[in-house]
Amino acid sequence: YFDEIYNEKNMDRIKIFKGDITKIEVDAIVNAANTSLLGGGGVDGAIHRAGGIKILEGCKKIIAEQGGCEVGEAVVTTAGQLPAKFVIHTVGPIWYGGNDDEKVKLKNCYTNSLLRAKEFNCKSIAFPNISTGIYCFPKDLAAKISVETIKNHLKEDTEIEVILVCYDDENYQILKKEMEN
Ligand code: AR6
């Protein structure tokens, strides 16, 4: 009985939203970056364009310190002109057909981003559907991994609220179904 209440309470802290992650007012938004941290297309391009030069400056500082960011890891910069306070840059795996530990790597992206958020005292975080664009990770599998990883994390982190931001309609429909399960 208590388990049920506990889980319902956890579910209240994951929401899905359809739209542009750069517009969302949360403590941290997550960027689906690449290992160079120097920007790119997709959501990465949108975040750098909307947030301005301060984000790239933050990335360059991290590059100078540690050379970039590994797949599955996450690093934090300012959010520049965005409504969020921080951008958490994580690097999703490129889908190579499932034989390159892609699932574990994607799970690590969510876990490490949530851990960075906690370190930076964030009470809310918004994720894009990491790896499901240019990196071709299957959307249904990515949705399962993201929801499961976040739900598990919410058992430990009893404060943070998570928004899964879907930009394309396909991901939105998939995530909506996944959340109903
Ligand atoms: N807000 C929210 N989600 C978005 C937005 C936006 N403004 N724009 C796109 N998406 P992708 P990846 C969704 O390709 O697959 C970059 O070049 C999009 O619909 O951005 O992890 C990086 O530099 C998709 O569901 O990231 C890397 O080189 C999701 O964001 C590479 O792409 C992820 O798509 C990373 O590829």
Side-chain angles (χ1 to χ4, degrees):
Y1 175 71
F2 282 113
D3 262 7
E4 253 169 58
I5 291 177
Y6 192 56
N7 282 329
E8 269 172 35
K9 256 170 107 180
N10 284 338
M11 285 306 287
D12 279 352
R13 292 189 286 123
I14 317 181
K15 291 190 171 61
I16 55 171
F17 177 82
K18 188 166 187 304
D20 180 351
I21 202 167
T22 65
K23 304 280 200 300
I24 299 192
E25 291 185 34
V26 282
D27 288 342
I29 63 166
V30 176
N31 181 19
N34 59 63
T35 53
S36 81
L37 293 179
L38 286 171
V43 70
D44 194 6
I47 288 172
H48 279 279
R49 267 195 307 278
I53 192 73
K54 287 264 161 62
I55 298 178
L56 188 61
E57 283 171 6
C59 286
K60 285 184 174 164
K61 207 172 151 230
I62 293 163
I63 294 164
E65 285 161 9
Q66 64 176 62
C69 183
E70 299 285 314
V71 175
E73 296 296 319
V75 296
V76 184
T77 69
T78 172
Q81 295 159 16
L82 298 176
K85 294 183 191 129
F86 303 104
V87 175
I88 300 175
H89 306 261
T90 188
V91 182
I94 299 172
W95 181 258
Y96 288 115
N99 301 313
D100 191 43
D101 269 343
E102 292 97 326
K103 290 194 265 184
V104 175
K105 288 172 183 167
L106 187 63
K107 183 179 162 48
N108 290 344
C109 287
Y110 285 95
T111 303
N112 285 321
S113 298
L114 288 161
L115 290 173
R116 289 298 93 73
K118 200 172 165 66
E119 283 164 21
F120 281 75
N121 227 348
C122 297
K123 305 289 180 241
S124 53
I125 183 171
F127 282 96
N129 304 124
I130 301 163
S131 282
T132 68
I134 294 163
Y135 282 178
C136 292
F137 202 107
K139 290 179 181 176
D140 49 352
L141 185 54
K144 276 199 170 64
I145 293 168
S146 61
V147 172
E148 192 184 290
T149 308
I150 292 163
K151 273 193 205 167
N152 272 331
H153 182 86
L154 292 184
K155 292 177 195 162
E156 317 282 314
D157 186 333
T158 53
E159 273 189 319
I160 197 153
E161 302 211 354
V162 181
I163 302 174
L164 280 166
V165 181
C166 304
Y167 191 67
D168 57 281
D169 199 53
E170 204 188 347
N171 262 319
Y172 181 68
Q173 298 304 334
I174 291 169
L175 258 307
K176 222 166 84 177
K177 266 203 183 141
E178 191 58 44
M179 292 286 291
E180 283 161 9
N181 285 341

